[in-house]
Amino acid sequence: MLQTVEQETGASPQWSVIWLHGLGADGHDFAPIVPELVRPHWPALRFVFPHAPVRPITINNGVPMRGWYDIVGMDFRSRADMAGVRESVAQLDVLIAREIERGIAADHIFLAGFSQGGAVILSAALERTAPLAGLIALSTYLPDAEAARRVDGAVDVPVFMAHGSGDPVIPLAVAEHSAQVLRTLGLSLQWQRYPMAHQVCAEEIQALGDWLQERLGAA
């Protein structure tokens, strides 16, 4: 099982957020967002921030770093090593199973990811046949979007997807195309764009908090 950084916002949490970082970062990267995002009246949540394995990244001259999959080229239609994506989806499934074992209902588990981490959770959603509370996909895209299909019995899951209009790493058009593919495949998706680069911003955190509040309040 992947090593993780964890934060709980209260005693005996009944909700979990499993949050995957971007390339070259680690599980500590998004931990500081918790106090900015969480609102005082929300039920207790457990945030789980796993560390990706260290692997050589082809596009970075083979330098080893934490990554959820190898990036083999510049073309977004074929840049993701899909075997690595599938491996990370399987590791994510183990983390989901652990949260269920710890008493969190499957439909109280959110999956979140930034950049590479977001690509993994979007891929996972297409294969998921058990419930989830929702997906949070930030500054990311759907790998191999042209071949993307949902498995038989895939669950409907709400998606919050946000991107920077000036993102130099994943162009806005790539993310917008991914959002359209996901909608075509039947996912309920809220799309947000912000005047920023490959990052998060205060307005995005506020909108994500509003989206989460709707999900938490509906339970």
Side-chain angles (χ1 to χ4, degrees):
M1 184 179 295
L2 297 171
Q3 293 186 326
T4 60
V5 176
E6 296 189 8
Q7 291 188 37
E8 294 184 359
T9 65
S12 303
Q14 295 300 306
W15 297 82
S16 291
V17 183
I18 303 174
W19 198 309
L20 277 56
H21 61 75
L23 178 65
D26 64 19
H28 295 283
D29 195 37
F30 276 90
I33 206 172
V34 173
E36 298 181 46
L37 177 64
V38 173
R39 300 178 184 177
H41 60 281
W42 284 3
L45 296 96
R46 177 186 297 123
F47 284 83
V48 178
F49 300 99
H51 301 300
V54 175
R55 68 181 79 222
I57 302 299
T58 300
I59 202 171
N60 289 345
N61 297 316
V63 174
M65 61 186 65
R66 290 196 183 276
W68 298 108
Y69 53 87
D70 189 18
I71 299 176
V72 298
M74 296 297 293
D75 189 337
F76 278 88
R77 292 170 296 184
S78 58
R79 71 181 315 201
D81 166 35
M82 293 307 295
V85 172
R86 287 189 288 272
E87 176 188 327
S88 289
V89 169
Q91 291 173 317
L92 179 59
D93 285 341
V94 173
L95 292 175
I96 293 170
R98 184 180 66 164
E99 290 308 293
I100 293 170
E101 289 172 3
R102 292 201 283 187
I104 308 295
D107 61 358
H108 280 202
I109 298 173
F110 293 94
L111 303 182
F114 177 83
S115 196
Q116 257 207 350
V120 171
I121 69 159
L122 291 176
S123 298
L126 302 182
E127 302 177 7
R128 185 79 184 164
T129 56
L132 286 171
L135 300 180
I136 301 160
L138 308 179
S139 299
T140 192
Y141 73 107
L142 178 64
D144 201 16
E146 303 310 317
R149 299 290 184 273
R150 295 176 75 185
V151 298
D152 291 341
V155 293
D156 293 326
V157 55
V159 181
F160 178 94
M161 190 170 183
H163 212 84
S165 56
D167 192 326
V169 178
I170 300 172
L172 178 64
V174 172
E176 288 178 330
H177 177 65
S178 293
Q180 183 56 49
V181 169
L182 291 166
R183 283 178 171 142
T184 300
L185 292 173
L187 278 74
S188 174
L189 187 143
Q190 177 177 325
W191 169 259
Q192 306 276 153
R193 59 184 287 183
Y194 299 95
M196 63 180 184
H198 196 62
Q199 61 192 104
V200 296
C201 65
E203 294 85 357
E204 181 180 20
I205 294 170
Q206 176 68 36
L208 174 56
D210 293 343
W211 182 88
L212 278 168
Q213 184 160 293
E214 287 183 21
R215 315 268 99 66
L216 295 169

